Amino acid sequence: MNFDAYARTGVDLVNARLDDLDDLQALFPDDNAWMRDEVADRDVAIFRRAQKRLRDVFEYGTSGRDAQAVTELNALLEAFPVQPRISGHDSSDWHMHVTSRGASVSAEYLAGAVWGLSVWLCEYGSARFGVCADERCGNVYLDTSSNCCRRFCSERCATRSHVAAHRARKRAAVGEQVTVAAQPTGDADSLTPVS
C-alpha cells in the first residue's frame, strides 16, 4: 500500500472546495473515475464533516498539540474503519484497497485518507502536518523537508508572502525616512528665541 498517496488524499480533501456535488466530483482524479461516477449529493455533507475534522488534525499538528491530533485521528479511524482487501484483474495487477467490496465512495475515500494520515503521523509525527503560513491561503500540506522547516503549501505562496513582507518593510522604511525628514534639525537658528 502506498501510505503517502493515501495521506495525500487527506490533504486534497482538506484543501478542496466542497460547495456542491460538482466540487466533490472534482476531488477525484482520473484513476478514481469510478468514485467520481458513483458519488452522490448525500456524500457532500459526509465529506464536509470529514474535511473539517481533518483540518483540525492539521491545525493540532501545526500548533504542537500532538495528543489532540492523535485523539482526532483515532476517532476518525473508528468512523471510517479500514477493512483491507486485495483487488485487481489478474496476477500482474494485484493491489490493496482499504475497504471491503461494495463500500460507499465516502467509506472508501475517507478510510484511505484517515489511514494514510494516521500512518504518516506514526512515521513522522504530527509536526509534519502543516497549515500554509500565507494568511491568504490556509491550505494544508505534509512537510517532507529534511529538517521540518516548511512553512508554505507551495512555492507560489512562499514567493507571494515573501514579496508582500519585502514590500511592507520597504513601505515602513520610506515612512521612517519621511518622518525623519519632517522633524526639526535642531540647528542653532531654530533654537534662537524670537524677540
Side-chain angles (χ1 to χ4, degrees), residues 124 127-128 141 143-151:
Y124 305 108
R128 294 288 184 156
Y141 60 89
D143 186 350
T144 58
S145 66
S146 60
N147 56 358
C148 194
C149 65
R150 187 171 166 186
R151 295 182 38 238

Side-chain angles (χ1 to χ4, degrees), residues 169-181:
R169 285 191 305 273
K170 196 171 181 179
R171 279 191 304 273
V174 168
E176 286 176 16
Q177 290 174 352
V178 169
T179 303
V180 169

Side-chain angles (χ1 to χ4, degrees), residues 34-35 38 42-43 81 83 85 97-109 111:
W34 72 271
M35 287 184 169
E38 289 185 24
R42 69 182 180 283
D43 293 309
Q83 300 171 339
R85 69 179 167 90
H97 279 265
V98 294
T99 58
S100 61
R101 184 176 213 80
S104 68
V105 171
S106 56
E108 174 105 12
Y109 188 95

Side-chain angles (χ1 to χ4, degrees), residues 104-124:
S104 68
V105 171
S106 56
E108 174 105 12
Y109 188 95
L110 297 172
V114 172
W115 179 254
L117 291 172
S118 299
V119 170
W120 184 275
L121 182 138
C122 291
E123 182 85 16
Y124 305 108

Side-chain angles (χ1 to χ4, degrees), residues 3-23:
F3 296 115
D4 286 353
Y6 278 117
R8 290 184 202 296
T9 63
V11 171
D12 293 343
L13 172 58
V14 176
N15 293 337
R17 181 178 175 161
L18 291 178
D19 292 335
D20 55 27
L21 182 58
D22 289 337
D23 289 341

